[in-house]
Amino acid sequence: MAMNDSVNILNSAYLAVEYIDSFLPDNPLQQPFKNAWNYMLDNYTKFQIATWGSLIVHEVSYFLLCVPGFVFQFIPYMQKYKIQQDKPETWEKQWKCFKTLLFNHFFIQLPLICGTYYFTEYFNIPYEWEEMPRWYVLVAQCFGCAVIEDAWHYFLHRLLHHKRIYKYIHKVHHEFVSPFGMQAEYAHPLETLILGTGFFIGIVVFCNHVVLLWAWVICRLMETIDVHSGYDVPLNPLHLVPFYAGARFHDFHHMNFIGNYASTFTWWDRIFGTDSQFIAYKEKEKRQQLIMKK
């Protein structure tokens, strides 16, 4: 009975969104996107699309999303939004991070990406435009992927902080006490594999078109670069996502090497009490701000 009720609720939600969508104006970008997608299908093989297309989406998205945080360090006005103002970025650290990223991207992640084609073939994942899910289905699927990845990340990330194994793997990621956007994927190769597995679980569960692979890559990169940015910028649209953790939440983890283990949401840390130090820290900040106002 409960399962039927859940299905009915989801169906009703989809119908409601479809009804609202019918009143929205046509997306002016849809036809150019359709033309580009069909051109890609006509001129490249599925292996090329799944492998090199996925690599291009990842690399372009990653470094473009890093640009705002990189530029902020040169804008004096933005420094008031930097969380750890006493620890500015340095060229030496950023160059070291960049070199490690290139190694991880091309020697760890690229071999994994090469398996994308075989994954889509094994599960008969379509590439055709006509079978592409609507935007609201993609949004729901990406949210579902984020929920799954967040659970995986919380428990495995917390395990990587265990005193017996921390110094061998996860310590690399914590080399930078004050994180910056490009550092989001700065990690030991084993950590890239261990925590990266959570990314693929949602794909296995939800994937019904190759476009979800790319949509979820962009969403995940947007989130992880934001929480590692080191800047708590107001009017951040990601804060509209329910239970979103944000940069200040994760920055505290880098400052203290403990607590706030989840990647995207706050509920696992709240359930297990691993955000207690962060909550106490925020209360202390509020009291200090009240004193300064007086």
Side-chain angles (χ1 to χ4, degrees):
M1 181 66 72
M3 179 65 73
N4 290 334
D5 290 341
S6 298
V7 171
N8 290 334
I9 291 171
L10 286 173
N11 287 336
S12 298
Y14 278 126
L15 288 173
V17 174
E18 283 184 350
Y19 180 72
I20 294 171
D21 185 51
S22 67
F23 289 98
L24 295 176
D26 292 337
N27 184 352
L29 298 177
Q30 181 171 336
Q31 191 59 44
F33 180 55
K34 178 180 180 180
N35 294 338
W37 189 272
N38 286 329
Y39 176 87
M40 178 183 70
L41 293 178
D42 292 338
N43 290 275
Y44 299 96
T45 65
K46 286 185 176 182
F47 179 82
Q48 290 172 323
I49 293 170
T51 304
W52 303 115
S54 297
L55 178 66
I56 291 169
V57 168
H58 180 272
E59 295 305 299
V60 171
S61 299
Y62 190 89
F63 289 106
L64 278 181
L65 289 167
C66 287
V67 168
F70 179 78
V71 173
F72 287 167
Q73 66 183 306
F74 304 110
I75 305 175
Y77 176 80
M78 296 304 297
Q79 296 313 300
K80 64 181 180 180
Y81 300 120
K82 183 168 172 56
I83 300 167
Q84 298 187 53
Q85 297 186 9
D86 60 329
K87 297 182 179 69
E89 296 91 343
T90 66
W91 286 108
E92 181 183 3
K93 289 181 178 179
Q94 291 176 96
W95 176 240
K96 182 179 182 181
C97 178
F98 181 72
K99 290 187 292 184
T100 302
L101 281 177
L102 290 182
F103 176 83
N104 285 350
H105 284 183
F106 289 96
F107 291 96
I108 305 299
Q109 295 183 12
L110 179 57
L112 295 174
I113 290 173
C114 287
T116 304
Y117 166 75
Y118 301 101
F119 168 80
T120 60
E121 287 295 291
Y122 182 81
F123 288 101
N124 198 27
I125 305 297
Y127 289 64
E128 290 72 23
W129 172 266
E130 290 74 21
E131 298 187 58
M132 188 180 295
R134 299 295 298 274
W135 64 268
Y136 47 84
V137 176
L138 272 178
V139 169
Q141 289 174 328
C142 286
F143 185 79
C145 287
V147 170
I148 293 171
E149 190 281 333
D150 185 68
W152 177 271
H153 191 101
Y154 176 85
F155 293 104
L156 272 295
H157 181 196
R158 189 172 177 180
L159 178 63
L160 289 176
H161 271 271
H162 191 281
K163 60 183 180 181
R164 291 186 177 179
I165 59 176
Y166 171 78
K167 64 181 179 181
Y168 299 110
I169 302 175
H170 193 53
K171 186 178 180 180
V172 174
H173 184 67
H174 277 278
E175 183 176 332
F176 305 115
V177 177
S178 179
F180 48 91
M182 191 167 57
Q183 187 238 337
E185 291 187 347
Y186 181 89
H188 190 284
L190 276 177
E191 178 173 341
T192 300
L193 294 173
I194 293 168
L195 296 185
T197 300
F199 173 89
F200 295 102
I201 297 174
I203 293 297
V204 173
V205 173
F206 293 108
C207 195
N208 58 353
H209 196 279
V210 73
V211 76
L212 176 63
L213 292 167
W214 296 351
W216 171 222
V217 164
I218 294 170
C219 288
R220 177 67 180 121
L221 290 179
M222 191 182 304
E223 176 275 326
T224 191
I225 291 170
D226 176 60
V227 302
H228 285 93
S229 68
Y231 290 84
D232 187 15
V233 180
L235 303 179
N236 185 339
L238 288 174
H239 290 162
L240 298 174
V241 178
F243 302 102
Y244 181 67
R248 191 168 290 275
F249 185 87
H250 192 70
D251 207 281
F252 183 84
H253 174 79
H254 277 264
M255 278 193 287
N256 297 275
F257 304 97
I258 192 170
N260 294 12
Y261 296 110
S263 60
T264 306
F265 305 107
T266 57
W267 50 59
W268 288 113
D269 285 286
R270 183 60 56 87
I271 290 170
F272 290 99
T274 46
D275 64 346
S276 57
Q277 291 189 26
F278 177 64
I279 293 172
Y281 175 76
K282 287 201 302 180
E283 290 298 323
K284 183 180 178 180
E285 273 192 334
K286 287 180 182 178
R287 287 195 298 268
Q288 289 175 341
Q289 289 172 359
L290 287 172
I291 293 171
M292 290 176 65
K293 287 180 180 179
K294 291 179 180 178

